[in-house]
């Protein structure tokens, strides 16, 4: 029974973190999508969103593109 109580307590701690992570992903995707408009990336010295994400955010190019795409799809 102690294990069940510990698991429930852990679940209660992880749930808000998980929800917060989703909100952060959407916010990051919104900003990444904005960077793809016009020549914003070029003005920062990057030819692609993937290059920017990898070099400046330590984020994989695929993840950055997926987050930006999600943002555009949510609009």
């Amino acid at each position: 029974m102690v294990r069940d109580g510990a698991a429930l307590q852990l679940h209660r701690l992880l749930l808000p973190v998980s929800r917060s992570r989703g909100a952060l992903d959407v916010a990051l995707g919104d900003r990444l999508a904005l960077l793809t408009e016009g020549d914003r990336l070029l003005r920062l010295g990057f030819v692609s969103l993937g290059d920017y994400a990898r070099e400046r955010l330590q984020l994989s190019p695929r993840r950055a593109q997926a987050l930006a795409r999600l943002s555009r799809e949510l609009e």
Side-chain angles (χ1 to χ4, degrees):
M1 289 295 175
V2 174
R3 294 172 105 183
D4 293 342
L8 184 58
Q9 186 175 16
L10 184 57
H11 168 72
R12 288 181 182 147
L13 291 171
L14 288 175
L15 193 58
V17 171
S18 175
R19 289 180 180 153
S20 297
R21 172 70 192 263
L24 288 173
D25 282 349
V26 170
L28 180 57
D30 289 346
R31 276 52 173 202
L32 290 170
L34 287 173
L35 278 177
T36 64
E37 296 176 3
D39 66 346
R40 290 176 175 165
L41 284 168
L42 285 175
R43 286 188 280 157
L44 293 174
F46 297 93
V47 295
S48 72
L49 180 62
D51 289 342
Y52 172 80
R54 181 178 44 252
E55 293 181 32
R56 297 295 181 179
L57 305 177
Q58 287 77 47
L59 191 66
S60 79
R62 176 178 274 175
R63 177 112 172 99
Q65 291 162 353
L67 290 172
R69 184 173 49 254
L70 174 66
S71 173
R72 289 188 291 270
E73 290 172 357
L74 287 174
E75 289 180 357

